[in-house]
PDB file of all heavy atoms in Angstrom:
ATOM      1  N   SER A  73      -6.514  -8.953   4.674  1.00 98.00           N
ATOM      2  CA  SER A  73      -6.083  -7.585   5.001  1.00 98.00           C
ATOM      3  C   SER A  73      -4.653  -7.399   4.485  1.00 98.00           C
ATOM      4  O   SER A  73      -3.981  -8.391   4.135  1.00 98.00           O
ATOM      5  CB  SER A  73      -6.105  -7.337   6.525  1.00 98.00           C
ATOM      6  OG  SER A  73      -5.100  -8.090   7.157  1.00 98.00           O
ATOM      7  N   GLY A  74      -4.204  -6.154   4.473  1.00 98.00           N
ATOM      8  CA  GLY A  74      -2.814  -5.891   4.099  1.00 98.00           C
ATOM      9  C   GLY A  74      -1.869  -6.560   5.085  1.00 98.00           C
ATOM     10  O   GLY A  74      -0.815  -7.078   4.710  1.00 98.00           O
ATOM     11  N   MET A  75      -2.256  -6.563   6.374  1.00 98.00           N
ATOM     12  CA  MET A  75      -1.389  -7.183   7.377  1.00 98.00           C
ATOM     13  C   MET A  75      -1.332  -8.692   7.208  1.00 98.00           C
ATOM     14  O   MET A  75      -0.289  -9.309   7.448  1.00 98.00           O
ATOM     15  CB  MET A  75      -1.838  -6.808   8.793  1.00 98.00           C
ATOM     16  CG  MET A  75      -1.642  -5.335   9.155  1.00 98.00           C
ATOM     17  SD  MET A  75      -0.097  -4.599   8.592  1.00 98.00           S
ATOM     18  CE  MET A  75       1.089  -5.589   9.470  1.00 98.00           C
ATOM     19  N   TYR A  98       4.763   1.791   7.552  1.00 88.00           N
ATOM     20  CA  TYR A  98       3.471   1.815   8.240  1.00 88.00           C
ATOM     21  C   TYR A  98       3.634   1.225   9.655  1.00 88.00           C
ATOM     22  O   TYR A  98       4.318   0.206   9.830  1.00 88.00           O
ATOM     23  CB  TYR A  98       2.472   1.001   7.406  1.00 88.00           C
ATOM     24  CG  TYR A  98       1.174   0.715   8.117  1.00 88.00           C
ATOM     25  CD1 TYR A  98       0.360   1.760   8.554  1.00 88.00           C
ATOM     26  CD2 TYR A  98       0.757  -0.585   8.353  1.00 88.00           C
ATOM     27  CE1 TYR A  98      -0.828   1.504   9.215  1.00 88.00           C
ATOM     28  CE2 TYR A  98      -0.427  -0.851   9.007  1.00 88.00           C
ATOM     29  CZ  TYR A  98      -1.216   0.201   9.444  1.00 88.00           C
ATOM     30  OH  TYR A  98      -2.382  -0.060  10.099  1.00 88.00           O
ATOM     31  N   GLU A 141       8.872   0.857   1.662  1.00 97.00           N
ATOM     32  CA  GLU A 141       7.719   1.526   1.067  1.00 97.00           C
ATOM     33  C   GLU A 141       8.247   2.723   0.308  1.00 97.00           C
ATOM     34  O   GLU A 141       9.260   3.288   0.704  1.00 97.00           O
ATOM     35  CB  GLU A 141       6.794   2.097   2.152  1.00 97.00           C
ATOM     36  CG  GLU A 141       6.035   1.085   2.933  1.00 97.00           C
ATOM     37  CD  GLU A 141       5.237   1.720   4.090  1.00 97.00           C
ATOM     38  OE1 GLU A 141       4.945   2.928   4.059  1.00 97.00           O
ATOM     39  OE2 GLU A 141       4.925   0.981   5.026  1.00 97.00           O
ATOM     40  N   ASN A 145       5.219   6.390   4.647  1.00 85.00           N
ATOM     41  CA  ASN A 145       4.018   6.758   5.359  1.00 85.00           C
ATOM     42  C   ASN A 145       4.391   7.129   6.791  1.00 85.00           C
ATOM     43  O   ASN A 145       4.911   6.276   7.498  1.00 85.00           O
ATOM     44  CB  ASN A 145       3.115   5.499   5.340  1.00 85.00           C
ATOM     45  CG  ASN A 145       1.833   5.659   6.094  1.00 85.00           C
ATOM     46  OD1 ASN A 145       1.396   6.768   6.351  1.00 85.00           O
ATOM     47  ND2 ASN A 145       1.231   4.537   6.453  1.00 85.00           N
ATOM     48  N   ASP A 170       6.129  -2.366  -0.451  1.00 98.00           N
ATOM     49  CA  ASP A 170       4.730  -2.040  -0.165  1.00 98.00           C
ATOM     50  C   ASP A 170       4.339  -0.925  -1.143  1.00 98.00           C
ATOM     51  O   ASP A 170       4.825   0.197  -1.040  1.00 98.00           O
ATOM     52  CB  ASP A 170       4.630  -1.576   1.297  1.00 98.00           C
ATOM     53  CG  ASP A 170       3.201  -1.228   1.719  1.00 98.00           C
ATOM     54  OD1 ASP A 170       2.372  -0.923   0.844  1.00 98.00           O
ATOM     55  OD2 ASP A 170       2.936  -1.243   2.935  1.00 98.00           O
ATOM     56  N   THR A 172       1.276   0.308  -1.631  1.00 98.00           N
ATOM     57  CA  THR A 172      -0.068   0.796  -1.283  1.00 98.00           C
ATOM     58  C   THR A 172      -0.302   2.237  -1.731  1.00 98.00           C
ATOM     59  O   THR A 172      -1.346   2.567  -2.283  1.00 98.00           O
ATOM     60  CB  THR A 172      -0.268   0.702   0.252  1.00 98.00           C
ATOM     61  OG1 THR A 172      -0.099  -0.656   0.655  1.00 98.00           O
ATOM     62  CG2 THR A 172      -1.626   1.201   0.676  1.00 98.00           C
ATOM     63  N   PHE A 173       0.674   3.113  -1.476  1.00 97.00           N
ATOM     64  CA  PHE A 173       0.459   4.540  -1.741  1.00 97.00           C
ATOM     65  C   PHE A 173       0.389   4.854  -3.233  1.00 97.00           C
ATOM     66  O   PHE A 173      -0.311   5.773  -3.631  1.00 97.00           O
ATOM     67  CB  PHE A 173       1.593   5.373  -1.107  1.00 97.00           C
ATOM     68  CG  PHE A 173       1.322   5.770   0.317  1.00 97.00           C
ATOM     69  CD1 PHE A 173       0.632   4.928   1.176  1.00 97.00           C
ATOM     70  CD2 PHE A 173       1.755   6.993   0.809  1.00 97.00           C
ATOM     71  CE1 PHE A 173       0.378   5.283   2.491  1.00 97.00           C
ATOM     72  CE2 PHE A 173       1.508   7.371   2.124  1.00 97.00           C
ATOM     73  CZ  PHE A 173       0.831   6.519   2.966  1.00 97.00           C
ATOM     74  N   SER A 192      -1.908  -2.863   0.806  1.00 98.00           N
ATOM     75  CA  SER A 192      -3.134  -2.830   1.575  1.00 98.00           C
ATOM     76  C   SER A 192      -4.178  -2.428   0.532  1.00 98.00           C
ATOM     77  O   SER A 192      -4.296  -1.250   0.168  1.00 98.00           O
ATOM     78  CB  SER A 192      -3.077  -1.789   2.690  1.00 98.00           C
ATOM     79  OG  SER A 192      -4.383  -1.627   3.201  1.00 98.00           O
ATOM     80  N   THR A 194      -7.162  -2.337   0.934  1.00 98.00           N
ATOM     81  CA  THR A 194      -8.166  -1.571   1.678  1.00 98.00           C
ATOM     82  C   THR A 194      -8.164  -0.114   1.201  1.00 98.00           C
ATOM     83  O   THR A 194      -9.170   0.586   1.339  1.00 98.00           O
ATOM     84  CB  THR A 194      -7.755  -1.587   3.180  1.00 98.00           C
ATOM     85  OG1 THR A 194      -7.403  -2.918   3.556  1.00 98.00           O
ATOM     86  CG2 THR A 194      -8.842  -1.060   4.071  1.00 98.00           C
ATOM     87  N   LYS A 195      -7.047   0.323   0.653  1.00 98.00           N
ATOM     88  CA  LYS A 195      -6.825   1.737   0.353  1.00 98.00           C
ATOM     89  C   LYS A 195      -7.276   2.066  -1.076  1.00 98.00           C
ATOM     90  O   LYS A 195      -8.418   1.887  -1.411  1.00 98.00           O
ATOM     91  CB  LYS A 195      -5.361   2.068   0.613  1.00 98.00           C
ATOM     92  CG  LYS A 195      -4.875   1.591   1.999  1.00 98.00           C
ATOM     93  CD  LYS A 195      -5.594   2.310   3.101  1.00 98.00           C
ATOM     94  CE  LYS A 195      -5.436   1.791   4.517  1.00 98.00           C
ATOM     95  NZ  LYS A 195      -4.625   0.694   4.863  1.00 98.00           N
ATOM     96  N   ALA A 205      -8.631  -5.568   2.695  1.00 98.00           N
ATOM     97  CA  ALA A 205      -8.037  -6.643   1.886  1.00 98.00           C
ATOM     98  C   ALA A 205      -6.557  -6.395   1.661  1.00 98.00           C
ATOM     99  O   ALA A 205      -6.074  -5.265   1.800  1.00 98.00           O
ATOM    100  CB  ALA A 205      -8.740  -6.722   0.528  1.00 98.00           C
ATOM    101  N   LEU A 323      -6.775   5.467   4.246  1.00 95.00           N
ATOM    102  CA  LEU A 323      -6.470   6.406   3.166  1.00 95.00           C
ATOM    103  C   LEU A 323      -6.940   5.789   1.849  1.00 95.00           C
ATOM    104  O   LEU A 323      -7.373   4.631   1.818  1.00 95.00           O
ATOM    105  CB  LEU A 323      -4.950   6.645   3.117  1.00 95.00           C
ATOM    106  CG  LEU A 323      -4.076   5.397   2.874  1.00 95.00           C
ATOM    107  CD1 LEU A 323      -3.537   5.360   1.459  1.00 95.00           C
ATOM    108  CD2 LEU A 323      -2.906   5.356   3.847  1.00 95.00           C
TER     109      LEU A 323
HETATM  110  C1  LIG B   1       1.225   1.531   3.652  1.00 82.64           C
HETATM  111  C2  LIG B   1       0.387   0.505   4.368  1.00 82.64           C
HETATM  112  N1  LIG B   1       0.746  -0.787   4.309  1.00 82.64           N
HETATM  113  C3  LIG B   1       0.013  -1.745   4.930  1.00 82.64           C
HETATM  114  C4  LIG B   1      -1.122  -1.426   5.655  1.00 82.64           C
HETATM  115  C5  LIG B   1      -1.916  -2.521   6.344  1.00 82.64           C
HETATM  116  O1  LIG B   1      -3.059  -2.835   5.612  1.00 82.64           O
HETATM  117  P1  LIG B   1      -4.468  -3.293   6.219  1.00 82.64           P
HETATM  118  O2  LIG B   1      -4.974  -2.201   7.086  1.00 82.64           O
HETATM  119  O3  LIG B   1      -5.305  -3.552   5.006  1.00 82.64           O
HETATM  120  O4  LIG B   1      -4.222  -4.537   7.012  1.00 82.64           O
HETATM  121  C6  LIG B   1      -1.538  -0.103   5.724  1.00 82.64           C
HETATM  122  C7  LIG B   1      -2.750   0.260   6.488  1.00 82.64           C
HETATM  123  O5  LIG B   1      -2.989   1.408   6.796  1.00 82.64           O
HETATM  124  C8  LIG B   1      -0.761   0.895   5.056  1.00 82.64           C
HETATM  125  O6  LIG B   1      -1.096   2.187   5.103  1.00 82.64           O
END
Side-chain angles (χ1 to χ4, degrees):
S73 69
M75 292 319 298
Y98 169 60
E141 289 174 22
N145 177 20
D170 181 337
T172 301
F173 272 35
S192 168
T194 314
K195 310 296 169 2
L323 60 105

